[in-house]
Amino acid sequence: KGLFANIFGKDDDDGAPDADSASSGKKSKEELREELGLVQGVPTVLVVGGGDGMGGIVEQARAVGKKLNDDADTRSVTSNDPEFQMVVVCGKNENAQKQLEADDWGKGVNVEVKGFVYNMDEYMRASDAIVTKAGPVSAFCNAGFSLFDNSMSWMAHHTPMMVVVSLLIIIG
């Protein structure tokens, strides 16, 4: 587990990724999606509002969900076969979670609404895009784990991604 295991040690149940959670990076996106109960083979967007679910998560999730559903070819989509998927993690904001669970998202997008989760790193790795206002701990930990994880070796060939991750680590 290397450098981060020595620095951060065991999970303290705060929901932030830790050194032990980095091991999930060895699992494929498909394996993670299966374990998390997500739809396979569709683009997946993760919307996160931080541990407290702040920052207008209801409005953000609704806007992203509407756009995804509008972009789907709903004529060829059934409720069991969406073209897109969105996971919304509301943190401790139970009101936001209840509001979003009650929404009708349309047939083009499968939506999973979660409260506070202890495996954010797995949701991040299972997603294709992330919409968030990440706190410095989450940004630093996830960027750092990705740099030291073989499953993210593809990033070394993508200079813009390396610049973003490097900046996250520096300003984290």
Side-chain angles (χ1 to χ4, degrees):
K1 296 182 183 179
L3 174 67
F4 284 95
N6 294 333
I7 295 173
F8 295 111
K10 295 284 185 185
D11 184 10
D12 57 6
D13 287 339
D14 65 356
D18 65 1
D20 290 335
S21 66
S23 65
S24 68
K26 294 179 174 80
K27 297 177 186 174
S28 71
K29 186 175 288 192
E30 292 75 20
E31 289 172 313
L32 286 169
R33 286 184 182 179
E34 183 175 335
E35 288 179 11
L36 296 170
L38 302 176
V39 176
Q40 296 284 351
V42 297
T44 301
V45 177
L46 175 64
V47 180
V48 182
D52 293 324
M54 306 297 274
I57 190 166
V58 172
E59 294 80 10
Q60 291 171 6
R62 286 178 175 160
V64 172
K66 181 180 181 333
K67 177 64 175 158
L68 293 174
N69 192 57
D70 289 349
D71 285 355
D73 182 4
T74 54
R75 293 180 307 269
S76 64
V77 174
T78 67
S79 60
N80 295 329
D81 191 23
E83 287 193 32
F84 298 101
Q85 177 167 234
M86 179 173 71
V87 178
V88 184
V89 179
C90 298
K92 297 175 184 172
N93 189 336
E94 293 177 10
N95 185 42
Q97 183 178 356
K98 288 177 185 173
Q99 288 181 56
L100 294 171
E101 287 174 337
D103 283 356
D104 177 15
W105 298 95
K107 292 182 177 182
V109 60
N110 176 62
V111 178
E112 298 287 330
V113 181
K114 306 290 181 185
F116 190 89
V117 300
Y118 290 95
N119 56 342
M120 182 60 70
D121 61 307
E122 292 180 345
Y123 281 100
M124 295 175 93
R125 294 177 198 281
S127 300
D128 298 301
I130 302 171
V131 178
T132 186
K133 185 229 167 266
V137 171
S138 295
F140 177 81
C141 288
N142 284 294
F145 289 147
S146 295
L147 284 177
F148 294 99
D149 188 313
N150 290 337
S151 70
M152 296 299 284
S153 60
W154 61 269
M155 194 169 58
H157 304 293
H158 292 83
T159 304
M161 182 61 77
M162 285 297 293
V163 170
V164 169
V165 169
S166 299
L167 288 172
L168 286 172
I169 291 171
I170 292 167
I171 63 175

